[in-house]
Amino acid sequence: MADTQKIIHRIGIIMNGVTGRMGTNQHLLRSIVPIIQQGGVKLSDTEYILPEPLLVGRNTARLKALAERSGIEAYTTDLDAALKDARYSIYFDAQTTGMRAESVRKAVAAGKHIYCEKPIASGTAVAMELYRLCEEAGVKHGVVQDKLWLPGLLRLKRLIQQDFFGRILSVKGEFGYWVFEGHSIPAQRPSWNYRKEDEGGIILDMLCHWRYVLDNLFGEVKAVSCLGATHIPERINEKGEPYACTADDAAYATFELEGGVIAHFNSSWTTRVRRDDLLTLQVDGTHGSAVAGLRDCYVQHYGHTPKPVWNPDVEQPIKFFEGWAKVPDQEAYDNAFKVQWELFLRHVVKNEPFPWNLKEGAKGVQLAEKGLESWAKRCWVNIDPL
């Protein structure tokens, strides 16, 4: 019997901003390179999608070093020339937020499918403009919403599907860690994150995440009350120079969801971690509760719920951590960014469903914008449908 002929869909991807932290680590080294190494996205035993990336950035030396590190040979500093190259049908953007819109407009005009990091823009109007441009041009488009494929959140999703919680009452999110100021210990995040004039700020960054997490798992966000803060007034930049912090480095936000669910998220780059993970979500329902981190998830059913009595005059007899059971591994988990990349490639090549489009990205920008408005006005702000 003759060998079955393999069908390989080779698809060129312009990867712009790939020398940045997220572009290098999550999108190139942990997503696209492993997809190539595994032989592509497997559609069947005889059909695969093989990405062929072109690395784009502003610094030739950094691009060359990244090309050698990743094994990807093609790189350029000329985005305009790359967009004219018919071998590349997808444009991916991982630049800083302020640079994204103009590059996406160029890519849409060149007929490229669009996949980009969030926030897709610094304002809702521009985000919706990019969505409409893609729709009018007839190109496929998507936004990175990676946390939906984290093992911890996938375990929460399964518990919801199994009706473990009963009626969900509330969601409490704790995110963040201490980002060093740089005076003695170097900072572990880029300085633009703390400058409003460079589209920095934790509200714009993280409320985009919380929008898709809440919308997809617990219910559509209907209103927000948000208080931001700039707790650290001065940090040291990449050149060793002090600079004034003009963007928020912490956000304390409460969300009203459809169905009456209340969610509260603390997001901070000025907090020290004494919890299970850098991100934890506690979901409380009438039948049970769960606490999920990035990977693990712990549950407590109604029947295993202790009955505390308030008495501060004696040592607490209940060991509260001991009343929770770890959710076992019931399925395999891959890198969250890689999983969504594979879904987007299937969407482009085989037209499979991909609901995480630029309009979903615009919803995240909208929530961040409304959060900033709430902070400025010191009041609740409604979230109208886009």
Side-chain angles (χ1 to χ4, degrees), residues 19 21 23 47 57 64 85 89 95 136 143 167 178-179 199 206 211 239 243-244 277 287 303 313 324 331 372 377:
T19 54
R21 179 176 56 91
E47 190 174 7
K64 183 175 184 292
D85 195 328
S89 57
Q95 299 181 97
E136 291 165 4
V143 61
R167 181 168 62 90
W178 189 268
V179 176
E199 319 294 346
M206 296 313 302
R211 179 69 189 265
K239 297 179 180 178
Y243 67 96
D277 215 328
H287 294 167
D313 298 322
W324 296 76
E331 53 191 310
L372 289 166
K377 294 180 176 179

Side-chain angles (χ1 to χ4, degrees), residues 115-121 123-124 127-132 134-135 141-146 148-149 204 207-217 219-221 340 354-368 383 385-386:
Y115 188 50
C116 64
E117 261 292 352
K118 42 76 27 214
I120 63 172
T124 309
M128 285 300 290
E129 175 210 342
L130 298 180
Y131 163 69
R132 293 190 185 102
C134 289
E135 288 288 289
H141 49 94
V143 61
V144 177
Q145 301 200 328
D146 54 285
L148 296 177
W149 292 275
L204 180 58
L207 263 63
C208 292
H209 280 297
W210 307 150
R211 179 69 189 265
Y212 70 75
V213 169
L214 293 170
D215 277 4
N216 281 272
L217 290 181
E220 192 171 335
V221 181
Q340 197 181 6
F354 192 87
W356 311 281
N357 60 22
L358 289 196
K359 188 175 183 180
E360 293 301 300
K363 289 180 181 179
V365 176
Q366 179 197 31
L367 184 61
I383 309 298
L386 287 177

